[in-house]
Amino acid sequence: MSAPSSTRPRRILPGDAPAPLHDVQASRAIETAALAQHAPHELMQRAGLAVARLALAVAPHARRVWVACGPGNNGGDGLVAAAHLHRAGLEVQATLLGDAPSLPEDARKALAMAQEAGVTLSSAAPVQDSDLVIDALLGLGASRPPLGAMAEAIAAINRQSAAVLAVDLPSGLQADTGQRLGTAAVVATHTLSLLTLKPGLFTALGRDHAGQIWLDTLGVATDGFAATAHLSGADALLALGPRAHASHKGSHGDLAVVGGAPGMTGAALLAARAALASGVGRVFVSLLDASGMACDPQQPEMMFRPRWWRGDPATLARSTVVCGCGGGSLVRDALPALLSRCPRLLLDADAINALAGDEGLKQALHTRAGRGQVTVLTPHPLEAARLLGSDVATVQADRLLAACTLARRHHSVVLLKGSGSVIAFPDDGLVINPTGNGLLATGGTGDVLAGWAGGFWAQLAATQGDAVSARQALIAAAWLHGRAADLQAAQTPDGLALRAGDLAGLMRAAVATREPQA
């Protein structure tokens, strides 16, 4: 297969090193700079070749290929790929939506290349099912819901039983947010992102629509362009490092879990057990249920301390606290003391709900930031909406914006949970976690994440600043939380979820499996 030189597509795996993500504006700037530095039509030739190469790799036995091409440069990439695949001996049908004279210049040249190669061109989807479908309908420039013939083409692609390779983005998916532009978007088995990785491929609906994600930079360097966000990698787990031989339990931090109102004790126990599994030196459990248990028979290492937050101020001043898991309305009583005294405070679940409805607590949160005390918020979308005075649909419409807004408004590190959890920092840094799957969609898994993150934070704080350790702890805990679910997915029957009580053990086992999943 002869064509202009190109890099090889690289599959993006959860175990990879951290990768930069570029939104539409940044990707456009990179594309514009690259076009100015290369010969006319060269980038499209490279892109089409990259698509063709990946098509042959992901569907090596395919004989019939349908290439659905839109009226822009994304369609031009598809036409170049169609020409290469036809020359490689495959039966290729290309559907072109749009009039040839109206195509951009590069796409018109790509159309001529496909015609010269003998590709069958039509304006309708093939009658027979194909062995592979290449979605080159809509690319980075799409901003409106697909309608008419475009919507029909997307529906036709989704009816195919074949593997689907999307060019740059699944058509109908918004590159920045991972939301659909309209009511439907292509559901791809593979997506080849060109030049840059886009945030929307990794959060919200992106993971469900993009399938396996690949990147081909087309030989274009992006180092000089600021990333919109970063994809976290397995190296986040290296932050802790080996334990010194001469260390003792006090060397690895203290964590207190405050939560567990009547009827919700289990949430606090899940968090505390996860913290213990993370390796923190000591775990204190302060249940809000006055008649609650005084010992956990499954984890007798944990120490139960009723009303712990009313105890020795010196103890509060050196501890890391996870507050809110199963806290109910009773958690409000503990928050003033925790907000004023604890240097490291992770607020989850009902603690976030209490904060959302109390201006005094919000002011205390701001005041603690001025004292250099660090706060972490770990909301799911509904809790985030309450804090923002918004609704879930608005939060999910732009998860990166929602997380950034929360971090700035509340001077906190924020982990917005969900598909492609977003970690935002008050200084505008953004990280998207690439691990995890639907097995985590069950009660209690968020409590486990909060406890493990708190446990990591307590350990890291012993050797690093509180703000730095909060960032590292959240990134590492989120990555490991999802990694445990990814490793478990192959062993779990369809339709079942992980039990939260098993998750901490799976996370502990996953620490040793940092290499990319095959």
Side-chain angles (χ1 to χ4, degrees):
M1 185 180 290
S2 61
S5 62
S6 173
T7 54
R8 293 280 181 176
R10 174 174 67 88
R11 183 178 171 189
I12 304 302
L13 293 166
D16 289 346
L21 305 174
H22 296 86
D23 63 10
V24 171
Q25 183 178 0
S27 296
R28 283 294 191 212
I30 292 167
E31 182 182 40
T32 299
L35 287 169
Q37 296 170 5
H38 291 82
H41 317 301
E42 184 177 354
L43 282 187
M44 183 170 287
Q45 294 300 312
R46 291 186 183 186
L49 173 63
V51 173
R53 281 176 170 167
L54 186 57
L56 293 174
V58 301
H61 304 297
R63 301 309 306 159
R64 288 194 306 274
V65 180
W66 173 31
V67 186
C69 302
N73 285 330
N74 193 257
D77 297 339
L79 289 167
V80 174
H84 285 301
L85 293 172
H86 181 77
R87 289 173 180 149
L90 277 66
E91 181 185 332
V92 181
Q93 176 176 331
T95 299
L96 178 60
L97 300 187
D99 298 326
S102 302
L103 295 176
E105 182 182 353
D106 278 1
R108 286 202 304 273
K109 181 167 183 177
L111 175 60
M113 176 180 175
Q115 290 171 327
E116 182 181 348
V119 174
T120 300
L121 291 164
S122 71
S123 58
V127 177
Q128 288 183 304
D129 271 358
S130 304
D131 301 318
L132 173 69
V133 179
I134 295 177
D135 163 30
L137 291 171
L138 296 172
L140 205 60
S143 59
R144 293 177 297 179
L147 300 173
M150 186 65 69
E152 291 172 5
I154 289 173
I157 291 173
N158 288 339
R159 285 195 298 269
Q160 291 270 334
S161 59
V164 176
L165 170 58
V167 178
D168 209 24
L169 291 161
S171 293
L173 189 76
Q174 214 283 331
D176 291 350
T177 66
Q179 291 294 345
R180 290 188 289 260
L181 291 167
T183 58
V186 165
V187 179
T189 50
H190 299 269
T191 295
L192 176 59
S193 197
L194 299 171
L195 291 178
T196 63
L197 290 171
K198 287 75 181 177
L201 295 172
F202 298 95
T203 195
L205 300 177
R207 297 272 298 278
D208 288 322
H209 281 272
Q212 295 178 0
I213 299 168
W214 303 73
L215 171 66
D216 197 315
T217 64
L218 308 181
V220 173
T222 61
D223 298 345
F225 296 84
T228 305
H230 282 82
L231 204 63
S232 63
D235 63 340
L237 294 185
L238 302 177
L240 285 176
R243 294 192 168 204
H245 190 277
S247 65
H248 53 82
K249 62 186 178 184
S251 306
H252 304 291
D254 292 343
L255 181 83
V257 175
V258 178
M264 295 183 285
T265 302
L269 292 181
L270 285 169
R273 290 172 181 174
L276 194 66
S278 78
V280 69
R282 291 178 292 196
V283 177
F284 300 94
V285 182
S286 187
L287 296 177
L288 298 170
D289 184 352
S291 61
M293 61 201 306
C295 177
D296 180 1
Q298 292 188 37
Q299 299 280 196
E301 304 95 329
M302 299 189 305
M303 294 169 278
F304 283 68
R305 299 287 189 272
R307 301 180 185 273
W308 175 88
W309 65 92
R310 294 185 180 178
D312 178 17
T315 301
L316 271 67
R318 65 172 179 265
S319 296
T320 304
V321 178
V322 172
C323 176
C325 301
S329 60
L330 294 179
V331 76
R332 189 183 302 270
D333 296 336
L335 283 172
L338 296 176
L339 286 166
S340 65
R341 298 177 184 174
C342 293
R344 295 171 299 280
L345 180 60
L346 187 154
L347 300 179
D348 186 50
D350 289 320
I352 295 175
N353 293 332
L355 189 70
D358 191 317
E359 291 302 319
L361 292 178
K362 289 180 184 176
Q363 184 55 52
L365 179 61
H366 296 176
T367 301
R368 67 181 267 108
R371 294 192 296 263
Q373 296 168 317
V374 181
T375 309
V376 168
L377 305 175
T378 57
H380 58 51
L382 177 56
E383 292 158 354
R386 289 169 180 155
L387 265 182
L388 291 168
S390 180
D391 54 51
V392 172
T394 302
V395 169
Q396 292 293 81
D398 193 335
R399 289 169 51 78
L400 276 68
L401 176 62
C404 280
T405 302
L406 283 172
R408 295 175 194 153
R409 185 177 296 180
H410 297 292
H411 309 288
S412 302
V413 182
V414 172
L415 169 62
L416 177 58
K417 294 180 283 194
S419 178
S421 292
V422 180
I423 303 169
F425 311 107
D427 61 1
D428 296 338
L430 271 174
V431 172
I432 298 180
N433 180 59
T435 63
N437 56 65
L439 293 181
L440 293 170
T442 185
T445 57
D447 302 311
V448 172
L449 175 58
W452 198 290
F456 267 179
W457 192 9
Q459 294 172 73
L460 287 168
T463 57
Q464 304 177 35
D466 289 347
V468 172
S469 59
R471 293 168 183 248
Q472 292 181 332
L474 269 192
I475 292 171
W479 189 94
L480 187 61
H481 187 253
R483 173 64 170 167
D486 289 342
L487 292 173
Q488 189 67 14
Q491 305 173 38
T492 303
D494 289 346
L496 296 184
L498 274 174
R499 293 182 301 185
D502 297 331
L503 183 53
L506 293 170
M507 291 174 69
R508 193 172 172 88
V511 171
T513 59
R514 299 170 188 165
E515 67 277 2
Q517 192 172 2

